[in-house]
Amino acid sequence: MGIFSFFSKKKQQETLDRGLEKTKGSVLTKLARAVAGKSKVDDDVLDNLEEVLITSDVGVETTLKIISRIEERVARDKYVSTKELNTMLREEIAALLTEAGSTSSDAAEWDLPADHKPYVILVVGVNGVGKTTTIGKLAWQFRQAGKKVVLGAADTFRAAAVEQLCIWGERAGVPVVKQQMGSDPASVAFDTLQSAKAQGADVVLIDTAGRLHNKVGLMNELKKIKDVMKKVQPQAPDEVLLVLDGSTGQNAFEQAKQFAAVTQISALAITKLDGTAKGGVVIGISDQLQVPVKYIGLGEGMEDLQLFDKTQFVETLFK
């Protein structure tokens, strides 16, 4: 590892430590109470652990899965000390994230497939979760990695959304393809992809409208965007990225389910994890949707949007 890579990793870890501070403090405090006065893992400890996970926004179904796996290990090993419980939790949570496709540090680079370009990311999510902000930060991160980026303002439902994306485009130093408010979002996506191909861009990020009150309308709109882009590039989009606000806990869970019902989600970006104790939602959403977490937002700065590293996340949460 070169010296610049070392300092980059160090800074990333510091950002993660800071961003997960409240979640980590909450989980470890509850965990300490769960095993207080106990030397071995028994039914009482497992009941307490179940409560710890549920109140940490891991979600009921995922919590029951984790408890079941730990119960099996306790039954198999006959005697498990409470000191071993922390290690078990790390292993089982990391296993769930692996099963959902989340990666560890070996794959955590801002790389893109070399076999074709541009790599097209269609970004979805309700208004207010940090969707447009996430696109701007992603554009900056890809540009820092030496990629040529083009943004598409296909959320034509709100004038503010187009303006906001243009502001982020300026900050990141990347072009934004836009049309008038009320234009056909599919037309914007088509123009964006054509422009990106003409410019030899490496990656395209397309913003979409964030409304769920009319699921049929949203589903039809996303399908039309995808169909139109395929006329320019048959495999587009390469990725459908759902952005969720981690600070809303179980509400983010519900949003994830609703979006998964109207379109195929291939990756998750979970924002606003700094300043909240609800970071456990990262584990539950990924497990229940069986969709990998790809990015996490840990602050206001451009560099505070990180590639998700499951090993680093779990180690930070329980250290």
Side-chain angles (χ1 to χ4, degrees):
M1 182 187 292
I3 188 166
F4 293 111
S5 180
F6 171 79
F7 283 117
S8 175
K9 289 283 185 186
K10 188 172 183 288
K11 187 174 181 183
Q12 182 180 333
Q13 183 62 59
E14 288 169 355
T15 301
L16 192 61
D17 286 335
R18 185 181 69 247
L20 293 181
E21 190 174 356
K22 288 195 175 180
T23 297
K24 176 183 170 181
S26 175
V27 170
L28 291 180
T29 300
K30 291 173 184 175
L31 201 54
R33 289 193 200 123
V35 300
K38 297 280 189 176
S39 60
K40 74 170 198 170
V41 176
D42 57 17
D43 289 344
D44 287 342
V45 169
L46 289 171
D47 286 344
N48 291 339
L49 178 59
E50 185 176 313
E51 185 179 342
V52 168
L53 294 172
I54 289 173
T55 57
S56 298
D57 283 275
V58 171
V60 175
E61 289 183 46
T62 301
T63 292
L64 293 177
K65 192 183 288 189
I66 293 168
I67 295 297
S68 174
R69 292 183 177 195
I70 291 177
E71 279 179 333
E72 288 175 10
R73 291 176 67 167
V74 170
R76 185 177 67 242
D77 298 343
K78 304 303 180 187
Y79 181 92
V80 175
S81 71
T82 50
K83 288 182 180 179
E84 294 173 85
L85 186 58
N86 193 302
T87 301
M88 276 191 179
L89 267 176
R90 292 187 197 198
E91 291 171 354
E92 295 305 335
I93 290 171
L96 288 181
L97 290 169
T98 300
E99 287 161 20
S102 295
T103 58
S104 59
S105 55
D106 291 342
E109 300 293 342
W110 293 91
D111 290 332
L112 296 168
D115 58 346
H116 74 271
K117 67 178 189 178
Y119 186 81
V120 183
I121 303 174
L122 186 65
V123 187
V124 301
V126 300
N127 298 327
V129 297
K131 178 164 55 77
T132 308
T133 300
T134 297
I135 292 171
K137 291 178 179 179
L138 277 173
W140 183 83
Q141 291 278 21
F142 279 121
R143 192 155 181 268
Q144 292 301 300
K147 312 297 181 188
K148 190 169 185 178
V149 186
V150 173
L151 305 183
D155 181 357
T156 58
F157 187 69
R158 296 180 307 128
V162 177
E163 291 169 10
Q164 188 185 7
L165 191 67
C166 288
I167 290 169
W168 277 104
E170 286 178 18
R171 288 178 186 169
V174 302
V176 178
V177 176
K178 62 179 181 175
Q179 292 182 10
Q180 292 183 336
M181 182 183 168
S183 300
D184 182 0
S187 174
V188 178
F190 182 86
D191 285 354
T192 302
L193 197 44
Q194 277 203 320
S195 175
K197 289 195 81 167
Q199 295 178 51
D202 298 297
V203 59
V204 172
L205 295 156
I206 296 179
D207 193 9
T208 61
R211 55 195 191 278
L212 262 176
H213 62 272
N214 181 353
K215 291 184 188 178
V216 175
L218 177 66
M219 181 166 59
N220 290 339
E221 184 174 290
L222 292 174
K223 183 179 184 302
K224 186 177 178 183
I225 289 173
K226 290 178 181 178
D227 289 346
V228 164
M229 285 196 298
K230 288 183 190 303
K231 293 178 181 179
V232 184
Q233 189 155 293
Q235 86 283 353
D238 297 281
E239 189 175 297
V240 178
L241 178 69
L242 173 62
V243 181
L244 298 165
D245 179 349
S247 71
T248 62
Q250 294 306 298
N251 284 339
F253 227 154
E254 288 307 310
Q255 287 175 21
K257 285 188 210 170
Q258 290 181 58
F259 263 99
V262 299
T263 192
Q264 190 170 6
I265 308 298
S266 56
L268 301 171
I270 302 183
T271 66
K272 307 181 187 180
L273 289 174
D274 56 308
T276 181
K278 298 181 177 182
V281 75
V282 170
I283 303 158
I285 291 174
S286 183
D287 171 56
Q288 290 304 301
L289 291 186
Q290 283 299 290
V291 173
V293 178
K294 196 164 185 181
Y295 311 103
I296 51 174
L298 299 161
E300 297 293 326
M302 291 282 207
E303 70 283 355
D304 292 334
L305 182 76
Q306 292 189 356
L307 281 160
F308 180 71
D309 179 334
K310 67 173 173 54
T311 303
Q312 195 177 27
F313 179 84
V314 175
E315 290 295 324
T316 300
L317 204 55
F318 290 99
K319 73 179 180 182

